[in-house]
Each structure stands twice: as C-alpha cells, then as structure tokens.
Amino acid sequence: MEEGKGEVKHMLLAKFKEEVSEQQIEDCIKQYANLVNLIPSMKSFRWGRDVSQENLHQGITHVFESTFESTQGVAEYLSHPDHEAYGNILRPLLEKAITVDYHPTPVQL
Amino acid sequence: MEEGKGEVKHMLLAKFKEEVSEQQIEDCIKQYANLVNLIPSMKSFRWGRDVSQENLHQGITHVFESTFESTQGVAEYLSHPDHEAYGNILRPLLEKAITVDYHPTPVQL
C-alpha cells in the first residue's frame, strides 16, 4: 500500500510532572510555538490537552503537533540550536515523552 | 491560554505484534479507513508508519489519525457497533496501543 511522502507530522505526546504549574505549562507551550519563528524548516505548530474518553492515554496530558515539509526538515529542526536549547527547558518538566513522526496518508478504498 | 473547541483529532499510536504480516497490516488499515463510510461522526482518516529520527517512539510502529467535529462525535464513534466490531479485529494484532484525543489549537504569540 502506497504511503505518503513529503509532509511529516512530528508528534510529541507528553506528561508533565505533577509539580509543574499551569503557568509553567503555558509558558512552555508559547516557547514551543515560537520555534516556528526561529527554525525555517518548522512550518506550523498546534497543541491540545488530552481529552480522550477511553482509558488508553497512559497518563499523557498534552499533545504537540509540528508540521514539516520533509523528513530532512525534521532532521534540520532536531539539530537546530534553538530546538536543542528548548529541549533543555522542556525535558526537566516532563515525566513522560513519546515522539512519533509520520507521513499523513489517506487511503483509497 | 484559550484552547480550541470543535474539531478533535483522535490519535491511535500502535505497535503491531512481530508475527503480524505486512498484508495483515494493510488489510487492517483499509478496514480502519472504511469506518469513515460506516460511522457518520468520523469525518476523515489518515495513517502513517513511524519515521521518527529520535529514539523516543517507544516501539510504536504506526500512527492512525481520525478527525471528528466534536468530542460528542468521538463518543458516538466509540460506542458505534462497527467501531466495536473493528476493535475486536484490531486489538489481537497489537502489542501496544496509546490513544489520545486533542483539539488542535494554534498559538497566538
């Protein structure tokens, strides 16, 4: 089955530590969003709290969705100094982090 | 910080069992996509293999992204007999499954 190429969704599923305040989370999300202004290959950013109704979220509290034009763009992002600096801010606030990337592919039935 | 309402992304991150063949996975994805034709509240479906370059995917092999107009739409989907029947096909093939839902929210900086 043919899979999409090109556009990549870079998804971070995160659980913030209990002691992290809502204000800290808000600041953190704004800094994440600002990476779009700093890293040319990062095309857009959206976020949301987990609102799932099944009990399969495994403690995840927040989803961060970044969009890139290619896997090369993700590589440029990962090695960019502004991403690395932000990682050093974000990581200590998280109890859990899962990152997956995928080419969003529709299915022709 | 104001979070989006309305549209919900329902994300399933999955790891298929080692013994599941590529043909079985393909059939499984097509059946998942076909739920759009069976469940009115499910508006669209996309999928992709994990192509992440960091080692933070925790074994996840596939991402399934479904879109709904509201959390009520997700609730209708979850309780729909065709979703339940599909779950009975999918679950035995998976070693791991994480489900999160979120309202994709842009950030105004």
Side-chain angles (χ1 to χ4, degrees):
Chain A
M1 191 157 56
E2 193 59 35
E3 195 176 347
K5 306 206 191 308
E7 185 184 274
V8 179
K9 290 282 182 191
H10 174 75
M11 309 293 298
L12 168 61
L13 280 60
K15 178 181 185 177
F16 283 93
K17 291 177 180 169
E18 292 288 342
E19 65 267 29
V20 178
S21 70
E22 277 301 312
Q23 186 60 54
Q24 281 177 291
I25 293 175
E26 183 164 327
D27 292 346
C28 190
I29 293 170
K30 286 181 179 166
Q31 287 178 80
Y32 202 150
N34 191 46
L35 294 179
V36 176
N37 299 321
L38 302 172
I39 305 178
S41 69
M42 184 180 182
K43 297 306 176 190
S44 64
F45 171 81
R46 300 191 299 183
W47 73 284
R49 286 187 191 85
D50 175 55
V51 294
S52 63
Q53 301 164 58
E54 301 166 291
N55 194 19
L56 293 169
H57 58 82
Q58 298 190 15
I60 296 299
T61 58
H62 288 73
V63 180
F64 303 105
E65 172 206 307
S66 308
T67 305
F68 297 84
E69 284 176 357
S70 65
T71 52
Q72 175 59 30
V74 180
E76 288 166 22
Y77 164 82
L78 292 175
S79 64
H80 194 286
D82 287 315
H83 171 263
E84 290 182 355
Y86 179 64
N88 291 335
I89 293 169
L90 180 63
R91 268 191 300 276
L93 304 180
L94 300 183
E95 184 178 318
K96 185 186 235 181
I98 302 170
T99 304
V100 290
D101 294 7
Y102 68 105
H103 296 288
T105 307
V107 178
Q108 305 301 330
L109 291 174
Chain B
M1 194 157 58
E2 192 60 34
E3 195 175 349
K5 306 207 190 306
E7 186 185 273
V8 178
K9 291 281 183 191
H10 175 76
M11 310 294 297
L12 169 62
L13 280 60
K15 178 180 186 177
F16 282 94
K17 290 177 181 169
E18 291 289 341
E19 65 266 28
V20 178
S21 71
E22 277 301 313
Q23 186 60 53
Q24 281 178 291
I25 292 175
E26 184 165 326
D27 291 346
C28 190
I29 293 170
K30 285 181 178 166
Q31 287 179 77
Y32 202 150
N34 190 47
L35 294 179
V36 176
N37 299 321
L38 301 172
I39 305 179
S41 70
M42 184 180 182
K43 297 305 175 190
S44 63
F45 171 81
R46 301 191 299 182
W47 73 284
R49 285 186 191 83
D50 175 55
V51 294
S52 62
Q53 302 163 58
E54 301 166 291
N55 194 19
L56 293 169
H57 58 81
Q58 299 191 14
I60 295 301
T61 59
H62 288 73
V63 180
F64 303 105
E65 171 205 307
S66 308
T67 305
F68 296 84
E69 285 176 357
S70 64
T71 51
Q72 176 58 29
V74 179
E76 288 167 22
Y77 165 82
L78 292 176
S79 64
H80 194 287
D82 287 315
H83 171 262
E84 291 183 354
Y86 179 65
N88 291 335
I89 293 168
L90 180 62
R91 267 190 301 274
L93 304 180
L94 300 183
E95 184 178 319
K96 185 186 234 183
I98 302 170
T99 304
V100 290
D101 294 7
Y102 67 105
H103 296 288
T105 308
V107 178
Q108 305 302 327
L109 292 173

